[in-house]
Amino acid sequence: MIVAAALCPAAPLLVRALTGTDPAVPELRAACLAAAAELGAAAPDVIAVVGTADRSASWNAEWTLDPAVFAPGSRGARAADAAGRTPSADLPAALGVGAWLLDQAGCRGDRILRSVAHGEPAASCASTGAALATAGERVALLVMADGSARRTLKAPGYFDERSAGFDASVQDAIRSGRLDMLLSVDAGLACELMATGRPAWQVLAGALRGRKVTSEVRYCDDPFGVAYLVASLRAADTEQKGDRGARAG
Amino acid sequence: MSGERGQSALRLGRHDFGPERLLVMAIVNRTPDSFFRPGDTWDERAAIGRVHEAIAGGADIIDVGGVPAAPGPDVDPAEEIRRTAGFIAAVRDAYPDAVISVDTWRHEVAREACAAGADLINDSWGGWDHDLAAVAAEFGAGLVCSHAGGLRPRTRPFRASYADVVADVLAHTGKLAARAVEVGVDPARIVLDPAHDFGKNTWHSIEITRRLAELTATGWPVLVSVSNKDFIGETLNLPLPDRVAGTLATTAVCAWLGARIFRAHHVLQTRQTLDMVSAIRGDAPPARAVRALA
């Protein structure tokens, strides 16, 4: 069962060593680290990291981001704390950034690294989520997902006026806890808007399906024209660690 | 470094340039909206004025472009031709000996530009249009084979990552050059460009600069286009008007590592930087040396 979930952008610039001298996004990074720390605090048996990638697959849970794929030659990036894990250039960046966040937030326990393909249909994403929810008695879920990358003229994908409405509806689903709304996000439009998070959002919806969810939005902005949303999601019916033991006693 | 003479001949227009010659390619944009000094040479008279200034400042090549690299209002091939071909003919009239290049990825545009007198097709978009090389072959023109990380023209990189960006550049540009030879482009007219900023983040552009010798070691002449680009702005945290020093520093390093063509906005400063590097390499004597010699 999912005991805690968090939503963070999959932006490489979260990794401190990648932005050079300037921390560039201190507030965003702090929000993500707080959301990751909350996952660890839920005393999960395992933390599943989900992100969109070229293909759907499970990855070696001991792998973490190899910063050199983004910052070749950077001594800072080479020295980045891999927390005893193995940097891999093969690991999809969204999962690598998620693993980095967990390392930085001090979440050292067991992990699952699961990618979903850009084109994965909603139903299949939801089943992936449902399966992850049963991966342990207490599963925490870190979903690495972004909205439109076409929100401004300077955005990676230039400007597309449909971005605002698209992102607003996703943000509404997260804020209100009505995660089922994510299952009807238009995959074609998401693709056109370079909203790479669509499959990962749908994994989140599948993992928490039928649960009563509240959320705390920790960050919501688009400083580089990409919609970043950081949120902690809590299910009202989540047992605290030791509840069962207390009842049994 | 000056001993690197595994370099092949470079033939542009009616000129042969030995590996000791460092060439300045002056940028003349026939656009209203390029990133540096937008609209500056949109007016044809201003543009020809820029050409006069560039030649006087020591430019070896005039690079005429009709479409900005950044996304923006669509410029179709007909409009791109309208912006460039007639102007190229005017430059050719004014400077019968000058090397003229056309900055385009489209074969339709390249064909009209070559017919108007262009000697070199400068494709920054990594051979997106597969028919481009054939146009170079047809007109006996040169071709720049670049690496844009597979990006569609006029798009920005989004979270680009490479297991080894230099290996990717070597593989892609090498493949384009081989294909160009196959379709009949004169090998002495083929140039490689790692294409700083295209499909790359700042770290990647710095890496291809640091390791440029791996590209020049292929023997193909290498062009670098670094002038005022974002990787310089990000490295120095400086806005567009303040990137000249960073541009010239990068230019000097690339020259030292064996690049031979330097695409530039600041022609005179680039010429001086390259002349200094040539002297340091021992390829050219100082212009006047009397200090402590009298």
Side-chain angles (χ1 to χ4, degrees):
Chain A
M1 154 184 260
I2 301 291
V3 295
L7 178 63
C8 291
L13 54 67
L14 287 176
V15 178
R16 178 63 191 85
L18 295 182
T19 65
T21 308
D22 188 339
V25 286
E27 289 169 10
L28 171 64
R29 190 176 294 117
C32 291
L33 288 172
E38 184 171 321
L39 296 182
D45 303 326
V46 62
I47 301 181
V49 184
V50 172
T52 310
D54 291 339
R55 62 190 175 95
S56 297
S58 291
W59 300 82
N60 186 329
E62 291 307 310
W63 282 1
T64 190
L65 181 79
D66 179 359
V69 300
F70 294 106
S74 157
R75 292 189 183 91
R78 275 206 297 274
D81 179 18
R85 295 176 192 271
T86 309
S88 168
D90 294 330
L91 184 65
L95 300 180
V97 174
W100 181 87
L101 280 176
L102 293 177
D103 291 339
Q104 295 296 304
C107 304
R108 306 282 188 214
D110 287 351
R111 282 180 199 168
I112 294 168
L113 302 178
R114 184 72 165 83
S115 63
V116 272
H118 290 282
E120 196 73 49
S124 142
C125 294
S127 327
T128 299
L132 287 173
T134 63
E137 271 192 39
R138 302 180 62 81
V139 180
L141 188 62
L142 175 58
V143 177
M144 307 300 292
D146 304 86
S148 170
R150 307 191 63 181
R151 292 181 59 84
T152 63
L153 288 173
K154 295 284 185 190
Y158 199 53
F159 177 67
D160 189 313
E161 60 187 6
R162 298 170 297 176
S163 297
F166 176 88
D167 289 326
S169 66
V170 171
Q171 288 158 11
D172 181 40
I174 299 295
R175 285 182 193 277
S176 66
R178 288 178 292 159
L179 302 184
D180 278 354
M181 289 166 63
L182 296 172
L183 294 172
S184 51
V185 168
D186 180 338
L189 179 59
C191 185
E192 286 175 36
L193 296 178
M194 297 166 68
T196 50
R198 191 276 304 168
W201 292 326
Q202 293 177 336
V203 172
L204 173 68
L208 283 165
R209 204 164 209 175
R211 307 281 297 280
K212 186 170 163 40
V213 173
T214 58
S215 72
E216 176 191 349
V217 170
R218 295 175 179 273
Y219 183 100
C220 182
D221 204 351
D222 61 348
F224 305 103
V226 182
Y228 297 150
L229 179 62
V230 182
S232 291
L233 298 136
R234 298 150 193 151
D237 51 350
T238 300
E239 285 181 357
Q240 298 305 304
K241 180 91 170 179
D243 276 1
R244 198 171 306 166
R247 275 200 303 276
Chain B
M1 286 297 158
S2 57
E4 270 181 24
R5 288 294 183 267
Q7 289 279 315
S8 54
L10 170 59
R11 193 170 301 141
L12 298 171
R14 55 184 79 167
H15 306 276
D16 281 302
F17 298 103
E20 77 291 346
R21 282 290 303 276
L22 303 179
L23 308 177
V24 178
M25 173 187 266
I27 300 165
V28 182
N29 285 321
R30 303 288 294 119
T31 58
D33 52 352
S34 284
F35 83 107
F36 189 72
R37 299 188 294 219
D40 217 29
T41 47
W42 177 229
D43 173 70
E44 179 149 348
R45 272 199 313 192
I48 201 80
R50 172 64 48 77
V51 172
H52 298 324
E53 191 184 298
I55 297 278
D60 304 284
I61 305 168
I62 301 296
D63 187 45
V64 179
V67 186
D74 185 43
V75 181
D76 65 20
E79 171 63 10
E80 191 183 353
I81 290 165
R82 199 187 66 73
R83 292 179 181 188
T84 54
F87 182 71
I88 286 169
V91 176
R92 176 53 72 223
D93 277 349
Y95 296 98
D97 265 352
V99 178
I100 302 173
S101 71
V102 59
D103 177 351
T104 188
W105 75 88
R106 290 169 167 147
H107 76 275
E108 311 93 306
V109 178
R111 174 167 287 120
E112 296 304 317
C114 289
D119 305 299
L120 175 65
I121 301 168
N122 179 19
D123 169 26
S124 301
W125 290 104
W128 184 261
D129 181 340
H130 292 280
D131 297 327
L132 196 64
V135 175
E138 179 186 339
F139 285 88
L143 181 68
V144 175
C145 299
S146 65
H147 171 275
L151 282 190
R152 172 185 296 278
R154 306 196 69 197
T155 60
R156 297 190 173 112
F158 183 49
R159 300 176 184 176
S161 68
Y162 299 93
D164 181 340
V165 65
V166 176
D168 212 66
V169 168
L170 284 166
H172 185 75
T173 56
K175 198 169 65 186
L176 287 180
R179 191 174 166 275
V181 172
E182 221 170 84
V183 303
V185 180
D186 176 358
R189 296 181 187 274
I190 294 172
V191 173
L192 308 189
D193 173 10
H196 289 75
D197 273 4
F198 282 72
K200 298 168 191 75
N201 67 31
T202 290
W203 299 98
H204 295 135
S205 291
I206 290 174
E207 174 86 347
I208 57 173
T209 307
R210 181 191 300 116
R211 294 171 56 193
L212 195 74
E214 293 175 45
L215 194 59
T216 57
T218 61
W220 293 107
V222 170
L223 174 153
V224 290
S225 174
V226 303
S227 193
N228 297 298
K229 278 188 171 171
D230 278 351
F231 79 97
I232 292 170
E234 286 203 349
T235 299
L236 301 179
N237 193 26
L238 289 172
L240 266 173
D242 301 331
R243 298 177 184 174
V244 181
T247 296
L248 298 176
T250 312
T251 297
V253 170
C254 290
W256 187 256
L257 295 176
R260 293 164 69 177
I261 304 177
F262 302 80
R263 187 172 178 272
H265 298 102
H266 309 285
V267 170
L268 186 63
Q269 290 100 318
T270 302
R271 181 75 270 158
Q272 289 173 356
T273 301
L274 295 175
D275 287 351
M276 198 67 214
V277 173
S278 291
I280 295 168
R281 297 205 313 191
D283 285 337
R288 176 173 184 266
V290 296
R291 180 183 165 77
L293 293 174

